[in-house]
Amino acid sequence: MARPVTVPATRDTAAGPGADMEQWSWPPRYDESYRPPEHQRHWFPHRETMPAERRDEAILGRIRRLMDYAWDNSPFYRRKWSDAGLHPRDIRSLADFGAVPVVRKDELRADQAAHEPFGSYLCVPPDEVKHVNGTSGTTGRPTAFGISERDWRSVANAHARVMWAMGIRPHDTVLVGSPLSLYWGSWGAYLGAERLGARVFPFGAGVAGQTARTVLWMRQMGVTVFYGTPSYALRLAEVATEQGVDPAELGLRKLFFSGEPGASIPSIRGRIETAFGAQVYDSGSMAEVSPWMHLGAGADEPGVLCWQDLVYTEVCDPATLRRVPYGSEGTPVYTTLERTSQPMIRLLSNDLTRWEAPSVERGRTYPFLPRGIYGRIDDMFIVRGENIYPAAIDEVVMSDPGYGGEHRIVISRMDTMDSLVVQVEHQPGQRLDGWADGLSERLRRVLGVGATVVPVGRGTFERTEFKARRVLDDRDLLRSLSSESAP
């Protein structure tokens, strides 16, 4: 592979679109000494509140520059666009950009297998890669993220902006309660908190017995902000209660989350807010497009903003991959606007969301996802012809006052009929007469298909300190056994 060319730093334009956006340059370059006054609501007041149409003009200019850069430095993109009969000069509008072919995660894995270690979409010389993150590889070949020092600082500045919008300030102590490993989420939260001037406590998660120590350390260090997954926050509240500690007395004032749906799902969000007596914020998209927090809250309410000047987000029809109107449901497609090492240009997420138009009433003029990312198309399962997302079941059972803390979703097949069973832990002393039937009926109304609720005692299921895995599809096992026994 030819040695990539590094693009010199320039302003996007001298006087045109983008010239009045705070610290908007290509390649990205930030004033590391800058920090807003603590009382200021916005990190970059003009950039975050300007008319969306005017910002889009600057974004289009950045996209065109980014595509030129990728064409010159990435065999992967040059080959992909050439095969589609496309050249960067063909992109004259954001509508034109919607015709650029999407990138799929399996393409990235295949390209890295052919061009180790970072793939032919690496746009900087390999010796400029100073940090390596990636996927775990538990479901296939791991994907390596090669990050230059410039990109590392861009991620820090981007996350600081979004965390500032959540009300996190330099006087806070932020506990990072997710693994400090290949997982990008932990490092993004760490970098953002550090950049905005807060005290950072990288406690991590995932070690046996660590949750009990988390409670101890939180009290000792005066932690005011917690980052992790919603599942782990609920586990933390449970362990604190078992130790005789009221979670609301731990002193947290804010919790922010990524990694799984929950922080914008009313039942889960409400349980966390009630347990800790603190404000809850949603964030997160995909590790491949870090800064993943470009989908992040800007107010104390469910939902996230699409910070379009960090990562340009389109919500697209899963079949046509063309942008859907505001008010519609679809799958996000992401384009990083500040990454120079491994830029992602129209990366297909396969997540599920619904978006709304920008509104000045939200305080920032970005598109809005009122329910955040509430599922993955890949996680959807079909029972008797109905499309079902696990998050829809989570929302119903976790909103019930008798819910005991965990549940499992079991899909199986009796003869030719699919069966959906939800095993739900119940609170001690919960009267079970009619309780399971009531939950079953609520699930039927939401899902459009019958579900049998089976009550089980609290503590039946293993707790998680990271992402919850609650679905067991026995049909896969039955299909496997059937194929093995076939002559």
Side-chain angles (χ1 to χ4, degrees), residues 198-274:
R199 178 185 294 121
V200 190
F201 189 11
F203 197 76
V207 179
Q210 188 164 358
T211 304
R213 293 195 293 275
T214 304
V215 174
L216 175 66
W217 275 99
M218 287 176 70
R219 300 180 76 183
Q220 182 174 328
M221 300 305 298
V223 171
T224 56
V225 178
F226 173 89
Y227 166 75
T229 62
S231 293
Y232 186 39
L234 291 170
R235 175 58 177 160
L236 182 65
E238 192 174 50
V239 170
T241 302
E242 291 170 356
Q243 292 184 325
V245 176
D246 181 353
E249 294 180 357
L250 288 173
L252 291 178
R253 66 186 197 92
K254 296 177 183 293
L255 302 96
F256 69 106
F257 300 106
S258 71
E260 63 181 13
S264 289
I265 295 176
S267 59
I268 301 174
R269 180 186 180 90
R271 291 176 69 88
I272 297 171
E273 288 175 327
T274 300

Side-chain angles (χ1 to χ4, degrees), residues 295-362:
L295 298 184
D300 180 28
E301 62 177 348
V304 296
L305 296 166
C306 302
W307 295 66
Q308 298 289 65
D309 49 325
L310 297 175
V311 177
Y312 183 64
T313 300
E314 307 162 84
V315 176
C316 298
D317 182 286
T320 66
L321 300 177
R322 300 306 295 258
R323 176 172 168 157
V324 299
Y326 290 124
S328 302
E329 184 178 76
T331 185
V333 173
Y334 301 123
T335 298
T336 56
L337 298 182
E338 300 196 331
R339 289 272 293 280
T340 58
S341 45
Q342 283 180 322
M344 292 291 105
I345 302 175
R346 298 209 80 221
L347 178 65
L348 178 65
S349 71
N350 273 329
D351 287 329
L352 195 66
T353 193
R354 180 176 63 82
W355 69 344
E356 295 179 357
S359 170
V360 295
E361 295 178 359
R362 295 193 186 100

Side-chain angles (χ1 to χ4, degrees), residues 389-456:
Y389 293 93
I393 296 175
D394 297 346
E395 184 167 2
V396 172
V397 300
M398 296 179 78
S399 65
D400 192 280
Y403 180 72
E406 261 301 341
H407 61 282
R408 292 295 181 270
I409 302 165
V410 182
I411 313 134
S412 58
R413 177 164 292 158
M414 300 297 293
D415 297 324
T416 59
M417 182 68 73
D418 289 339
S419 171
L420 176 60
V421 174
V422 185
Q423 301 169 322
V424 184
E425 291 185 358
H426 58 82
Q427 292 284 358
Q430 171 68 40
R431 295 190 59 176
L432 301 182
D433 295 344
W435 182 71
D437 290 341
L439 265 182
S440 295
E441 176 58 23
R442 289 196 290 279
L443 284 170
R444 185 193 64 77
R445 290 198 300 266
V446 169
L447 304 178
V449 66
T452 301
V453 171
V454 176
V456 297

